[in-house]
Amino acid sequence: MACYLFPAAIVAPRSSPLPRFAHHRIRAQKPSISNPKRLSSVVSSGRFGWDDVLRVGEGNQEDDDPSDLRGYFEKVRACNRGSEKQSEFVPFVVEDQIVGYIHRGFIEHLRKFQDVFTIVSGNNGCYIGDRVTLHSSLKKPEDKTRAVGDAITCLGKLIPGIRNELYPVTSSFGMPVFFSLERAAAPYFGIKAYGVHMNGYVERDGQQFLWIGKRSDMKPTFPGMLDHLVAGGLPHGITCKENLMKECEEEAGIPRSISNNAISVGAISYVDIDEYKYKRDVLFCYDLKLPAGFVPKNEDGEVDSFRLVPAAHVANIIQRAEFFKPNCSIVIIDFLFRHGYISPDDHGYLELLQSLRSGDCS
């Protein structure tokens, strides 16, 4: 196969006792920050600190509208961009099953690998085929994995952020795996990607507090932004629970004796289309009630620091700012639904609930 190259500190909570906050349903609150223009600047530049985050979280009671869910809807929309661009993609078919979608422009780069990809033309006279499949000579899953992997390596900087981590290519969760694909390439082939996301929380004096992490500035994606406690993609050959416990150890120093108590609470999904990328993600969500004295410790260098923040304040942050990595926002919104912080009496409750599963949750 010819190869074508293309140019190209962990912070613990304060030692004083946890503050006593009135347990109440989340209300849409304006941030009490002395300089709103500065807040806008730090958010848009990606540079903000915990002081900025906590000021937004504290909010104030002025112009408080308990039924205003607009900030949550904005976060869901941020994960579901580009639906108007679906016509720019064609199906990626393996063994007569649609496993993904590939942009017409990206297909032109795949034409160079004629022993790997087959472009099947339709009857409409278009120069781009109606679908992309794999060459008929690639019979075994390991042959497909190797050949597609070699092509991805040759594509070079067209697919940035290679992680040497393989995702299963399948028609839906639990179905036979046709082959495995480099994680960074998943959105370029539009395959379904699965992950595990966990909210870690503490209860004290009848209040709930969420552990929030601030991503390392060295992360290739969303550097310096906020995450919930633990998250990770689901590689090939590992169960969701086992992967979650592994991520708990690596990202937050949570021993298996504790992480084994994490509770599976459902899944959310979204579709994000941006240029050549067609992200179809399904996130399996977990809750873990942590001991009151537990302090997370990052072990893999991907988290800069942690803070324990009242759940009510986390909701204000999501409503009023862009501090969180987008898909982490909707995982936390799901937590807020399940723990009663968003009420059926709030206008748009059912619509927001349904929007958390905007993608093909299968």
Side-chain angles (χ1 to χ4, degrees), residues 177-303:
V177 176
F178 298 117
F179 69 100
S180 298
L181 178 70
E182 158 63 37
R183 175 178 180 176
Y188 293 88
F189 288 85
I191 71 164
K192 288 182 180 177
Y194 301 89
V196 292
H197 283 235
M198 189 190 82
N199 285 296
Y201 69 98
V202 171
E203 289 186 348
R204 177 76 66 86
D205 296 332
Q207 309 303 308
Q208 288 182 329
F209 299 79
L210 283 164
W211 276 109
I212 301 300
K214 194 172 190 298
R215 295 163 69 87
S216 167
D217 289 335
M218 303 305 294
K219 288 279 289 182
T221 56
F222 303 100
M225 297 193 75
L226 301 184
D227 280 356
H228 42 62
L229 187 55
V230 170
L234 185 63
H236 180 45
I238 187 171
T239 66
C240 289
K241 189 60 177 286
E242 179 62 27
N243 191 48
L244 179 71
M245 292 192 291
K246 176 181 72 71
E247 295 289 348
C248 280
E249 287 183 314
E250 296 173 355
E251 295 193 349
I254 304 174
R256 289 174 174 250
S257 58
I258 295 177
S259 63
N260 187 55
N261 296 320
I263 298 173
S264 173
V265 292
I268 62 175
S269 61
Y270 55 90
V271 177
D272 182 30
I273 300 175
D274 180 34
E275 297 181 337
Y276 284 174
K277 293 178 288 187
Y278 197 121
K279 284 178 63 64
R280 299 194 296 152
D281 288 357
V282 177
L283 310 181
F284 296 104
C285 299
Y286 290 79
D287 284 353
L288 176 61
K289 183 178 178 180
L290 290 159
F294 175 81
V295 178
K297 181 181 179 181
N298 181 243
E299 302 289 351
D300 62 8
E302 295 189 357
V303 181

Side-chain angles (χ1 to χ4, degrees), residues 37-68:
K37 290 185 178 180
R38 176 178 175 274
L39 174 62
S40 176
S41 174
V42 297
V43 171
S44 61
S45 66
R47 297 188 300 270
F48 59 86
W50 283 111
D51 287 345
D52 300 305
V53 173
L54 298 177
R55 276 195 293 268
V56 172
E58 289 171 359
N60 59 53
Q61 298 297 325
E62 296 179 7
D63 301 321
D64 185 9
D65 180 1
S67 65
D68 187 356

